[in-house]
Amino acid sequence: MWKGRFQQETAPAVQRFTESISFDWRLYRYDTEGSIAHARALEKSGLLTGDERRQIEQGLRQIGDEIEAGTFAFRPELEDVHMNIEAALTERIGPAGAKLHTARSRNDQVALDLRLYLRSEVDAIGRLIRNLQRALVGLGRRFQAAVIPGYTHLQRAQPVPFAHHLLAYVEMLQRDADRLQDARKRINIFPLGSGAIAGSTIPLDRAYAAELLGFPALTRNSMDAVSDRDFAAETLFVLALTGVHLSRLSEDFILFASSEFRFVRISDAYSTGSSLMPQKKNPDVCELTRGKGGRLIGDLTTLLTILKGLPMTYNRDLQEDKVAVFDAVDQIKLILEVYAGMVNEIDVDLEQAKAAAADPALLATDLADYLVLRGLPFRQAHEVIGKLVAYSLAQKRGFAELNLSEFQRFNEKFAPDVFTVLNVERSLQNRTAVGAPSPDNLNRELAEWERRLNG
Ligand code: ARG
């Protein structure tokens, strides 16, 4: 493509070093669609005849179909997807093909392709997130009555409905979906017409081409447009954060599926065995999700590190952006898909959950609240119950097994009704603030998510 200026062939090692066709070939649909819009803009400016434009369009469609069918022969010496497609087009249709690159550079072309790719993938990922949210809400609904100990510092804290725990992740995923939609606004800006760096002396109707491809806005600075990858960086941040959220959920499921907790069972279809230990059933989907969370953070770090050293404007370093972007998109899609399937088949061990949630220590805060409602300042109540907990542990008798006079040794405000506090259902029943897990609130939240996710 640059033979005019050069007298020597590129060294074979350099060809292997600089090629990107081995990974950017997958932009082919966006490349042909982008070129078709560009050809129409060229026609509108009188730089292509209607006939030339039609030949180009037909040729590009045919090439796209061949790539899709796997019958197109890519040539590594043509470096990238843009030059492979353009060269094939010119071979097929001749002079009209050679006119396609008028008023365009690969710099604005690749920026366009990447934006088209991410716009489409962000939508696909949004749908997958929604699908996983549906699975989590479904699991919560199936086991709506299940109560487990809630944990802070991985120490038993207070009883919570299992579904309330799951809905925490539905909230996180919703923020991820919202963040993706927000990133999409900055992805969805049309860079073509920026040329290599400073636009072109050949006037083209950028707005017309943008409209053909469904872009609501044009980039406003040609230098920024060819070197900006912010839209990719923020998308990768959202994917990394989604990965982090699912890594945390995985950690919960790994713990909950262990013999130590035994709150949930992950189905055989989503577990793996050990080649050595016959008794093992391992939560590998969760573990790999946790591992891939690290990989997604790596992809974001790769991209940011590529960007941080770049002087204006386009530098070849930017070719490496796609390695990180494609990997992050592929991995998050894999995770989301397999995860929804796994969640749909998770089973809760209701008896085990109930036994764990019956730990009387979980109601210590409720006892402190009891004293507060009878006039004791909370700090004092906290101390009284602290002593009572120590006593109960030393006695190896839970609160419910103590008698009233024992309670009253710690504070005279204790009355016979203290025993009504020692009840998990009642404890949850009273948690009625917005965001708290009373059964009514939980039911309303599940219904609200079902409405939102299925609407
Ligand atoms: N394959 C290149 C990339 O992905 C396309 C742009 C090349 N531009 C250039 N001036 N060499 O970034």
Side-chain angles (χ1 to χ4, degrees), residues 20 24 79-80 82 106-107 110 314 316 318-319 322:
S20 56
D24 70 10
E79 268 194 20
D80 59 23
H82 324 292
R106 275 186 296 154
N107 296 353
V110 73
Y314 180 88
R316 192 61 179 273
L318 287 174
Q319 179 164 291
K322 284 170 282 300

Side-chain angles (χ1 to χ4, degrees), residues 166-370:
L166 295 176
L167 288 184
Y169 286 96
V170 176
E171 296 278 346
M172 289 179 227
L173 288 170
Q174 188 56 47
R175 290 196 294 274
D176 294 332
D178 292 346
R179 270 184 280 264
L180 271 185
Q181 278 306 305
D182 194 56
R184 192 187 192 282
K185 290 183 213 151
R186 284 171 293 277
I187 292 170
N188 204 17
I189 299 174
F190 187 70
L192 211 61
S194 302
I197 170 169
S200 168
T201 56
I202 300 165
L204 280 189
D205 187 346
R206 294 186 65 206
Y208 171 68
E211 207 189 307
L212 291 174
L213 292 167
F215 285 91
L218 307 178
T219 55
R220 314 294 313 173
N221 180 299
S222 61
M223 295 178 78
D224 180 38
V226 294
S227 61
D228 170 28
R229 295 294 183 273
D230 293 3
F231 63 92
E234 64 176 304
T235 303
L236 260 51
F237 166 72
V238 181
L239 302 189
L241 187 59
T242 308
V244 166
H245 289 151
L246 295 179
S247 178
R248 294 186 64 186
L249 178 56
S250 295
E251 181 62 12
D252 286 345
F253 282 144
I254 290 165
L255 287 170
F256 288 180
S258 71
S259 308
E260 281 66 22
F261 284 78
R262 266 199 295 127
F263 297 163
V264 303
R265 278 182 293 263
I266 298 173
S267 75
D268 289 359
Y270 289 88
S271 305
T272 55
S274 158
S275 52
L276 181 77
M277 297 166 283
Q279 86 282 12
K280 291 294 285 293
K281 186 173 141 182
N282 297 327
D284 285 24
V285 168
C286 294
E287 291 169 41
L288 273 168
T289 297
R290 201 172 51 185
K292 286 176 189 293
R295 184 164 165 182
L296 288 161
I297 294 168
D299 289 330
L300 170 64
T301 308
T302 298
L303 182 57
L304 289 173
T305 310
I306 289 170
L307 297 179
K308 77 176 276 296
L310 298 187
M312 289 294 266
T313 50
Y314 180 88
N315 297 268
R316 192 61 179 273
D317 317 43
L318 287 174
Q319 179 164 291
E320 294 282 320
D321 63 356
K322 284 170 282 300
V323 179
V325 169
F326 292 162
D327 188 64
V329 167
D330 291 346
Q331 293 303 316
I332 200 72
K333 286 170 81 179
L334 266 177
I335 294 171
L336 289 165
E337 193 187 323
V338 73
Y339 223 89
M342 181 186 74
V343 168
N344 279 328
E345 291 189 15
I346 282 180
D347 192 26
V348 174
D349 186 329
L350 288 168
E351 242 163 73
Q352 180 70 16
K354 192 168 178 190
D359 178 352
L362 292 169
L363 296 174
T365 320
D366 294 59
L367 281 177
D369 292 347
Y370 171 91

Side-chain angles (χ1 to χ4, degrees), residues 43-92:
E43 179 192 12
K44 189 161 185 266
S45 291
L47 293 153
L48 287 177
T49 65
D51 192 47
E52 286 171 324
R53 195 265 304 155
R54 271 187 293 278
Q55 286 178 43
I56 288 175
E57 217 166 298
Q58 215 178 25
L60 288 171
R61 292 240 153 82
Q62 192 185 56
I63 291 168
D65 292 346
E66 285 173 23
I67 296 175
E68 195 164 297
T71 56
F72 185 86
F74 288 112
R75 287 156 53 192
E77 68 276 16
L78 290 173
E79 268 194 20
D80 59 23
V81 65
H82 324 292
M83 296 212 287
N84 265 276
I85 290 176
E86 194 193 321
L89 181 71
T90 307
E91 264 165 37
R92 291 170 194 206

